[in-house]
Amino acid sequence: MDHTPHPPPASATAPEGTEIASEPPAPRLNQTRTGIKPKAMPDPEADLADPGLYFNRELSHLQFNIRVLEQALDEAHPLLNRLMFLLIFSSNLDEFFEIRVAGLKNQVALGDESSGADGRPPRSVLGEISQIAHAQVERQYQILNERLIPELEAQGLRFRRRGSWTQAQAAWIHDYFTTEITPVVSPIGLDPSHPFPRLVNKSLNFIVELEGKDAFGREGGLAILPAPRSLPRVIALPEELCEEGFTEYVFLSSMIHAHAEEVFPGMAVRGCYQFRLTRNADLSVDPEEVSDLASALRGELLARRYGSGVRLEVADNCPEELAEFLLKQFELDAADLYRVNGPVNLTRMMSVLGEVQRAELLYRPFSPGLPKSLRKQESLFAAIAEGDILLHHPFQSFSPVEELAREAARNPDVLAIKQTLYRTGADSPIVNALVEAAGNGKEVTVVIELRARFDEADNLALASRLQEAGAIVIYGVMAYKTHAKMMHIVRREKGQLRHYAHLGTGNYHSKTAKLYTDYSLLTAHPTLCADVHKVFQQLSGMGRARQIEKLLHAPFTLHERLVAMIDREAAIARKGKRAHIIIKCNSLTEPKLIQALYRASQAGVECDLIIRGMCCLRPAIPGISEHIRVRSIIGRFLEHTRVFHFHNDGKPETWCSSADFMARNMFHRVETCFPLLDKKLAARVRKDLETYLVDNCQSWLLQGDGTYVKQNPGDAAPISAQETLLYAYAARA
C-alpha cells in the first residue's frame, strides 16, 4: 500500500481539533546523544488534581471519531477502504450517542451536575458535543457527496439518484418496489385512533404528508412509513441495465420516495421525508434487585430497542414544521436535530464493500504468519512446552489459539479446560471446541460475560449452547464485568499434571483477530499457569484469592502496581539515571494513573504514550507534563494492544494486559496483566513499540491545547508502523 501522505483538499480541510503537520517529526525517541534530557523544573505548587490538567473524556472520544473520519480523505488508503472509514465514523457516532450522550442527558434530567476530573458539568459538555457533532456530520456528507461518490463513479461504481434513472431502470425499480417492498411495508396513519408509533432504535422511517380522503372517508394528514429492517438499504441494479463498464446501485430510500403514492392509493403524497431516531441503548441491571442475570438481560435487551430518544436525523429538505413535530414526539430539543444531505442510515452502505469484487480498490490481502516454533512441531502442546510463544495479531495468525482449544478438546490426556469469553462471535471455533470437549467428557468451565455491550444476545445464546453440551457456565461476578482473556488447560503427561495457558490483550473472536492488533501469549510457565488457575477459582468459587505470584489482576492489584511501577521510574529519574515509560492502550482516563504519569514527567521520566482513543492527560504543560508525548495511530487495523514497558534502571519490564488505563478497567472489571518473562519476547515487543513511536504516516500527536497534529514525513522516508509489522510478521506472498 502506498503510504505517501496526501493533505486534504481546500474544500475539506481538517476540523477543529485536528491539524496537519508541516514539518516531519524528529526520528529519534530521545533528542540528546545520551537519550537523557535535562530535568524539567517541576512546579512544586502544582495541584495535580486541578481540572485544568485534564481533557474531557467525552470530547476526547469525539475527537477520536473525527480522526477516523479523516481517513476517508487519506489517499494512502484504497478508495473503498476510504468509504469504509466514513461508514465506521457513522457507526462509531451511533454508539457515541446511544451510550455517552445518553448518559450525559440522564445526568441533566436527574439534576446531577457532577463532573469528571476535568470539572466540566454535563450540560456544558453536551453543548460542545452538539456543536462539534453537527459540524462533523455536515462534513461527513460533504466528503461522501463531493469526494467519494465522484471518485467511485470514476472507477465504475455509481450510485444512481432518482433524477438520473433511465427508463429501463425506472421500470425495473417499479417492479422491484411492487414485488419486494409493497408486500412488507406497513404505513401508519396518524389520527386519534392511531397515535404516533413506537419506532425501533436507528430504524429507517419516512414521514409522509397526504392529501385527500381514504377508503373510510378520513381526511389526509400525516403518516409514518417504517422501512422494514429485512430489506437491503442499497440495491444493485441488474448488469444488463447498467451503463457499460459500470456497476450501479440504488438506495432503498430513493425507491420509497419515488413510489410512496402506491403505498397510499387514492391519496396524494405532498411530501415524503426520511428520518431516523437514535435511542438510549445502555443497559441497566441493578445487582441488588436481580436474582437471575440471564433473565434480567433478556428483558433489558427488549427495552433497549425503545429507550428514550437522544438524536433525530432528518433529510435536509424536510420542512421545518415536520422536523419540529418529530422533535416534539420524541421529546427532543432543536440541538438534537441533524439534517443530512443523503441517506440517514449510512452504516448500512457497508454491504457494498462486501459485494464489490475490485481488488485494486481494497487493501491488498495477506496471509498471517506463524512463528518457527509452531511450524516445526505437530503438537501445540509440544511447541508450548519448549518455551513461551507470542503472537502479534493480525500480522500473525490467530489460528494457533483456536487450534489449541481444538487439540485440547480431542487429546485424550487433557482433563480440564477453563475459558473466559467476552466477545466471541455467533459462530466461534473456540466455542465449537469447548462444546466438543464437553461432549468428550472433559471438565469444561466457561466464564461468559453476558454484559459485553451489544453482544449480550450472542452471549446468551452461547451460554445456552455450552450448558446444553454439558459445560459448566458461570456469568462471572455480578458487580464486575469479566474482561480478562484467559484459557487454562490441564493435561496428564508422564503420570503428572501439566498446565498450559493462553493470555491475551484481545477477544477470542476470529473475525476481529484479522482486524484488531492484539498480543497472544501461549505458555506452560508453571507460575503463570498457576496464577491463571487461581483467577479462575476466584471467579467460579467463593472466598479470598490465594497469593498470585506473577499476574497483576483487577480489581485487586493492577491499579496499585501500575502506579507503583510509574513511581519507581520517577524515583530512578530523580537519581539522575535514564528513565523511560512506554504505555500503549486504547484509552487513558483514570485520574490517579494520570497523576502518576505527571509525577514521572516532573521527575524527568521520558513518557511515550500510544493512546488510540480517549486521552484525558494534557501533555506539554511546563513543569508538569513536558516529558510526556501522546500519539494516536489510526490505520488499516484497529490498534487494540495494551502494553506497558518500564526501563527500570536497565532491568526492563514489559507487560501485556486486557485492561486500559480507565477507572472501569481498574476497579469494576476482572482484568489480567501478564509479564513477558522471556527476554527475547519482551525485546521483540519493545521493538514493536519503537516502530509505533517513529510512525510518520498514520500517527497523530496530541498537543497541549487538545488538538491532534497529523504527522507528515515530508522529505524523510515514510514509516507506517502497521505496514512495517505486516512486512515483518506476515507470511510472504
Side-chain angles (χ1 to χ4, degrees), residues 448-490:
I448 297 182
E449 181 47 68
L450 295 182
R451 295 162 295 176
R453 185 175 290 146
F454 300 117
D455 280 296
E456 298 94 345
D458 281 347
N459 287 357
L460 284 164
L462 292 177
S464 297
R465 184 182 172 204
L466 286 163
Q467 286 169 330
E468 290 169 3
I472 299 170
V473 175
I474 298 163
Y475 298 142
V477 183
M478 185 63 202
Y480 302 89
K481 284 187 179 181
T482 302
H483 193 248
K485 325 299 182 186
M486 306 182 296
M487 180 194 303
H488 179 256
I489 298 167
V490 181

Side-chain angles (χ1 to χ4, degrees), residues 31-42:
Q31 297 175 359
T32 66
R33 291 181 61 191
T34 62
I36 306 172
K37 287 187 177 181
K39 283 187 181 180
M41 293 300 294

Side-chain angles (χ1 to χ4, degrees), residues 626-645:
E626 56 197 314
H627 290 280
I628 300 177
R629 294 165 293 279
V630 181
R631 70 187 62 231
S632 172
I633 306 289
I634 310 290
R636 171 176 182 172
F637 306 112
L638 183 74
E639 290 298 333
H640 197 252
T641 48
R642 290 97 165 194
V643 185
F644 319 138
H645 175 83

Side-chain angles (χ1 to χ4, degrees), residues 323-358:
E324 291 178 1
F325 170 78
L326 291 171
L327 287 173
K328 183 178 180 181
Q329 296 301 316
F330 302 129
E331 299 180 339
L332 294 173
D333 300 324
D336 302 315
L337 178 67
Y338 289 76
R339 292 182 173 274
V340 300
N341 181 18
V344 297
N345 51 337
L346 285 180
T347 306
R348 294 287 291 271
M349 285 181 69
M350 280 286 189
S351 61
V352 174
L353 301 179
E355 294 175 4
V356 175
Q357 303 298 315
R358 296 282 299 277

Side-chain angles (χ1 to χ4, degrees), residues 604-619:
V605 179
E606 295 301 320
C607 302
D608 283 295
L609 312 181
I610 308 165
I611 313 297
R612 184 196 77 208
M614 293 181 288
C615 181
C616 296
L617 177 148
R618 186 184 291 270

Side-chain angles (χ1 to χ4, degrees), residues 206-210 221-225 260 264 269-273:
F206 298 82
I207 185 167
V208 185
E209 290 183 295
L210 298 170
L222 295 178
I224 301 298
L225 182 60
F264 304 94
V269 172
R270 297 304 181 198
C272 179
Y273 312 99

Side-chain angles (χ1 to χ4, degrees), residues 92-131:
N92 287 354
L93 206 60
D94 284 350
E95 184 172 341
F96 181 75
F97 274 89
E98 288 175 299
I99 306 299
R100 308 312 316 173
V101 173
L104 290 169
K105 282 179 167 287
N106 280 345
Q107 273 190 263
V108 171
L110 295 172
D112 179 2
E113 291 298 313
S114 60
S115 61
D118 62 292
R120 293 190 60 172
R123 194 179 299 274
S124 167
V125 177
L126 277 173
E128 188 163 349
I129 286 173
S130 176
Q131 180 182 0

Side-chain angles (χ1 to χ4, degrees), residues 245-259:
F246 281 84
T247 301
E248 300 191 311
Y249 298 91
V250 177
F251 290 106
L252 175 70
S253 53
S254 294
M255 291 184 171
I256 292 177
H257 278 298
H259 299 290

